[in-house]
Amino acid sequence: MTESPLGKPVSRVDARLKVTGAARYAADHRVDGLCHGYLVLSTTGRGTIRSMDTRAAEASPGVLAVYSPANPLKLYVAGGAGPNWVPLQDTEIRHYGQIVGLVVAETFEQARDAAELVRVEYDTRAPAASFVDGIPQAVLPPGGLVELLADGVASIDDALAGSEVRVTAEYRQPSKHHNAMEPHAVVAVWRDGRLTAYSGTQVPIGHARSIAAALGLDSTAVHVISPHVGGGFGNKASTWAHDIVAAAAARALDRPVKTVLTREQTFTVTGHRSAVAHTVALGATRDGRLTALKHEAYSSLSTSGWFAEQATATTSRLLYKTDNLHVAQRVVRLDVPPSTVMRAPGEESGLFALESAMDELAHASRMDPIALRMANYATLYPGRNVPWSSKHLDECYERGAAEFGWHRRQPAPRATVDGDWLIGMGMSTALYPAGRLPTTVKVRLLADGTAAVSTATADLGTGMWTVLAILGADRLGLPLARIAPQLGDSTLPDNTGAFGSTSTASVGSALRAAVEAAIAALIQLAVSHERSPFHGMAPAGVAYRDGELVAEGRRIAFGDLLETTSTSAVEATGRDSGGDGSRYAFHSFGAHFCEVRVNRWTGEPRLTRMTTVIDAGRIVNPKAATSQIVGGVIFGIGQALSEGALVEPASGRIANANLGDYLLPVNADVPPIAVHFVEHPDTIFNPMGVRGIGELGTAGAAPAIANAVFNATGVRVRELPITIEKLAP
Ligand code: MOS
């Protein structure tokens, strides 16, 4: 009997490729005749191009073409989730750093140097680039307000006014950039009117469709190949303009074109997380029962984009039981690069505000922060009054407190001191919705005894190559080495893509159906083929077990059956059309605990340890899952302590659009992070009992840190990042 790898700590099946450098990312794909495109970006934030002098660039060595609004490539709006316009079709400048040209040359250096020679004159208008200045003009989109008031309560403000204890506070977060290690890149190759685009993406099929739409082609004419993606975090779930500009140039020149964004270019050509401001007001009884919860959030929304961070509908809307609830999500339209989804797009910002405010309420009420959360524990989704399919958040708090040593926390700030260091502890809740997206998986049993498991999803560092192999091995009863996973190609079976922490649940459900259908087809072959040892038997009398067909005491490996019957392969597909959310709410939960030391003279914060307990159903691969949560927490450390775009209000220029000035956590900033899973398989959500984990670790990490900083110092930092200046005595 083959032991299933499901639930075992499995090393990534692509690990060797990655560490030896054999894994090919988009820019690593080489083709004959390749030339290089380098983008020219606007240096003003709003206005029109008055003139563009490209003569020196065109005369520069190796240059093949310079495209601009004066010499455009015909493009259409791509659709999907990218920008709501396409470059080069007009002279309008919508934001600082937008594409105004593409220089194509024989080498990268020639293209880059020639791009420096392009002279652009602008008629500049003042952009609306200041988020803070824009807040008074914020608008409330339809559906942005949810209010649930108790009978006889006239307004949320009345409910607040009548509460025994109240806290009100404003919180603020700057816009933030994904900064995946692999910058966006494309290698565009045309053959016979069809495009092959090697381009790192979370959504191979959606990306192919968007590129096709932008080029005016049928979607079948574009093939996206994306076997390895060096991080996405939401920013490779859309098609950005460089892909389509490079593809159009390759078509015009009849040469393959590679375009790799510089780090600085990724800041404005691709997406970012909205800046968010919040007002949170909590009213409670003296013993900590919430009587009113009001959370109003303002998120920046680019005039050239479609997505604004949804900070309230994802968090305060549902996390706690309260007598009266009012959440509103407004947007602030700005002339900045397009904002988009970024790891926990809503939960990250919303939980910072809500879970900081809960900590403020705990302090005001002299209650333990966990006791306060338990006093308001929701077992029914507020307003919908349906239960969660599986919710063990209480166990996360309890287990986390025990593992972390929460009982050693002194409730009063500045009460724990070690020499020059003030020591504090804080905690926060994590949550993220569980979803399933339409997915088709194909299982192909081959005569060599292996099985290919394929679907057009992506592995953006998430471990999906390995998940496919594990789930395939588990369902087929085969060793891991006999499963060949296939993903990262738009011609594979239909898949909505890898985002929203939905992939494992979606793929797992479809894969189960595919394996069942493949086994049925195999049995059909066994009973119907005249050279099969089971020829003529009833299908019901033949069973599949661990790679073999078994009947009447005889057995045959499926590979041998295929050999014997000269059948190259038996295959079947399975489809998951998504979950039914009508009777249950689906969420993953968790709790973060953080210990911080803050230097009492300089204000320098140093994290010393974090503990995170996760309730995400059954865990497919504890090794990769732990790594996902650790990565998510580190992502949250960056949001808490160091990250934030510095947008110059007058121009919209991002002053720190590089990794020297936009500060990401490095090893020295990251303390030991202990991850625990409370494993309750959620079989109401899907037959595998799994939920997603990609974004959960980030949700709530920042407020746990901010709350620990308050406990250490007595300083409540309500505007991220928590930098040394804000803590200096
Ligand atoms: Mo994730 S922000 O849904 O890729």
Side-chain angles (χ1 to χ4, degrees):
M1 160 124 187
T2 309
E3 208 188 331
S4 170
L6 181 63
K8 306 268 168 27
V10 174
S11 291
R12 290 171 189 243
V13 298
D14 51 333
R16 194 182 179 81
L17 285 177
K18 292 265 174 79
V19 299
T20 58
R24 285 210 203 165
Y25 295 82
D28 300 329
H29 288 90
R30 292 184 193 186
V31 285
D32 288 342
L34 188 66
C35 53
H36 298 261
Y38 192 95
L39 298 169
V40 182
L41 305 187
S42 70
T43 54
T44 190
R46 190 98 181 93
T48 51
I49 296 170
R50 187 191 320 139
S51 67
M52 216 167 143
D53 184 350
T54 57
R55 284 168 299 180
E58 280 155 10
S60 191
V63 169
L64 300 166
V66 179
Y67 298 103
S68 70
N71 178 31
L73 296 155
K74 181 66 200 158
L75 298 170
Y76 306 89
V77 175
N84 59 16
W85 63 287
V86 268
L88 309 185
Q89 310 308 298
D90 58 38
T91 57
E92 191 71 22
I93 302 299
R94 292 159 176 86
H95 62 80
Y96 197 102
Q98 82 166 50
I99 297 173
V100 295
L102 179 78
V103 177
V104 186
E106 294 291 346
T107 71
F108 171 79
E109 290 78 8
Q110 287 170 337
R112 180 192 58 195
D113 292 356
E116 290 297 314
L117 302 174
V118 174
R119 291 283 161 263
V120 189
E121 305 278 344
Y122 301 97
D123 290 317
T124 293
R125 301 196 297 279
S130 164
F131 174 61
V132 175
D133 293 350
I135 290 175
Q137 287 88 50
V139 296
L140 184 68
L145 172 71
V146 176
E147 194 170 67
L148 300 170
L149 299 179
D151 285 347
V153 174
S155 75
I156 191 71
D157 292 327
D158 280 0
L160 282 164
S163 299
E164 292 168 2
V165 183
R166 278 184 300 279
V167 297
T168 301
E170 291 183 13
Y171 303 91
R172 198 165 285 172
Q173 291 150 283
S175 53
K176 285 171 279 205
H177 292 260
H178 307 68
N179 277 311
M181 204 184 294
E182 178 205 20
H184 295 68
V186 61
V187 175
V189 186
W190 289 85
R191 203 169 291 121
D192 305 326
R194 291 167 50 85
L195 170 69
T196 301
Y198 301 93
S199 172
T201 180
Q202 297 173 225
V203 289
I205 291 176
H207 196 38
R209 285 195 186 128
S210 294
I211 294 172
L215 297 170
L217 297 170
D218 189 80
S219 57
T220 56
V222 178
H223 181 187
V224 165
I225 297 177
S226 176
H228 301 287
V229 183
F233 313 118
N235 203 17
K236 288 177 186 152
S238 302
T239 298
W240 303 108
H242 66 281
D243 282 307
I244 55 183
V245 172
R251 178 167 62 178
L253 292 168
D254 199 20
R255 290 272 302 268
V257 171
K258 178 198 280 195
T259 292
V260 182
L261 299 192
T262 65
R263 179 60 59 183
E264 183 171 5
Q265 289 173 341
T266 65
F267 277 74
T268 61
V269 174
T270 75
H272 66 272
R273 191 197 297 280
S274 305
V276 189
H278 317 252
T279 306
V280 181
L282 302 178
T285 58
R286 259 179 221 98
D287 57 357
R289 203 172 51 75
L290 284 171
T291 44
L293 194 172
K294 182 181 185 183
H295 183 171
E296 299 192 283
Y298 303 81
S299 297
S300 63
L301 172 62
S302 170
T303 45
S304 49
W306 62 278
F307 184 82
E309 180 96 350
Q310 297 297 302
T312 61
T314 53
T315 58
S316 296
R317 165 72 187 85
L318 63 118
L319 181 51
Y320 296 112
K321 192 173 61 178
T322 175
D323 296 345
N324 298 285
L325 176 77
H326 174 109
V327 297
Q329 175 67 59
R330 295 182 172 80
V331 296
V332 178
R333 288 293 240 179
L334 294 180
D335 302 318
V336 296
S339 40
T340 190
V341 292
M342 179 162 159
R343 203 173 195 173
E347 297 78 9
E348 192 281 323
S349 55
L351 284 177
F352 167 63
L354 175 61
E355 290 293 276
S356 292
M358 286 295 278
D359 202 64
E360 302 207 34
L361 179 61
H363 184 71
S365 311
R366 299 176 179 274
M367 275 184 83
D368 179 82
I370 297 175
L372 175 66
R373 285 163 174 82
M374 284 308 300
N376 297 288
Y377 198 80
T379 51
L380 296 175
Y381 190 105
R384 284 178 60 202
N385 295 324
V386 295
W388 275 274
S389 56
S390 173
K391 177 177 179 178
H392 300 276
L393 175 57
D394 47 355
E395 194 179 330
C396 295
Y397 294 141
E398 212 171 289
R399 173 93 183 271
E403 299 278 356
F404 181 76
W406 182 250
H407 65 280
R408 291 200 297 274
R409 174 181 181 268
Q410 308 246 30
R414 301 182 79 90
T416 310
V417 183
D418 176 18
D420 291 337
W421 297 86
L422 306 171
I423 301 174
M425 294 185 184
M427 58 80 56
S428 170
T429 309
L431 90 166
Y432 193 80
R436 277 160 63 190
L437 297 170
T439 296
T440 301
V441 171
K442 183 160 88 181
V443 170
R444 186 170 157 88
L445 304 169
L446 294 148
D448 65 2
T450 64
V453 177
S454 59
T455 183
T457 190
D459 188 330
L460 49 149
T462 49
M464 183 45 66
W465 280 107
T466 313
V467 165
L468 274 181
I470 290 172
L471 296 180
D474 175 67
R475 297 315 296 174
L476 287 162
L478 296 176
L480 208 54
R482 280 170 64 190
I483 307 293
Q486 295 173 344
L487 55 75
D489 186 312
S490 63
T491 59
L492 291 173
D494 187 43
N495 192 300
T496 316
F499 58 89
S501 303
T502 53
S503 300
T504 299
S506 311
V507 163
S509 303
L511 185 145
R512 272 174 92 99
V515 166
E516 275 170 31
I519 289 172
L522 195 67
I523 291 172
Q524 195 52 45
L525 173 71
V527 298
S528 62
H529 197 287
E530 57 191 16
R531 289 205 300 278
S532 160
F534 300 153
H535 181 234
M537 287 185 182
V542 183
Y544 175 93
R545 202 168 304 134
D546 294 345
E548 294 179 329
L549 292 182
V550 188
E552 294 176 5
R554 282 183 295 163
R555 53 187 61 231
I556 182 169
F558 74 76
D560 293 340
L561 175 71
L562 296 175
E563 278 292 340
T564 305
T565 59
S566 303
T567 309
S568 63
V570 163
E571 67 177 39
T573 58
R575 178 135 180 103
D576 180 31
S577 356
D580 169 18
S582 59
R583 284 166 49 226
Y584 294 94
F586 301 121
H587 270 86
S588 287
F589 297 93
H592 299 285
F593 294 80
C594 172
E595 183 186 84
V596 69
R597 296 180 150 232
V598 180
N599 187 289
R600 61 192 305 175
W601 309 113
T602 66
E604 179 191 12
R606 303 298 303 173
L607 302 183
T608 47
R609 58 197 183 91
M610 292 188 75
T611 297
T612 294
V613 183
I614 293 297
D615 166 28
R618 182 179 208 176
I619 298 303
V620 170
N621 181 0
K623 189 172 186 177
T626 300
S627 159
Q628 269 276 42
I629 298 299
V630 165
V633 171
I634 294 172
F635 211 85
I637 292 172
Q639 319 270 295
L641 295 182
S642 59
E643 292 187 50
L646 301 171
V647 182
E648 295 178 344
S651 65
R653 173 179 171 267
I654 300 170
N656 59 343
N658 61 73
L659 291 185
D661 298 307
Y662 183 99
L663 300 180
L664 293 164
V666 297
N667 284 340
D669 300 313
V670 178
I673 299 167
V675 176
H676 307 276
F677 295 99
V678 295
E679 260 195 85
H680 298 282
D682 185 352
T683 50
I684 293 177
F685 176 52
N686 68 77
M688 315 282 302
V690 302
R691 292 197 303 260
I693 51 169
E695 304 174 73
L696 185 61
T698 298
I705 294 166
N707 295 342
V709 165
F710 174 75
N711 182 241
T713 63
V715 179
R716 176 67 65 183
V717 180
R718 300 190 180 91
E719 180 167 6
L720 295 182
I722 304 171
T723 49
I724 192 166
E725 303 90 317
K726 295 170 187 165
L727 297 176

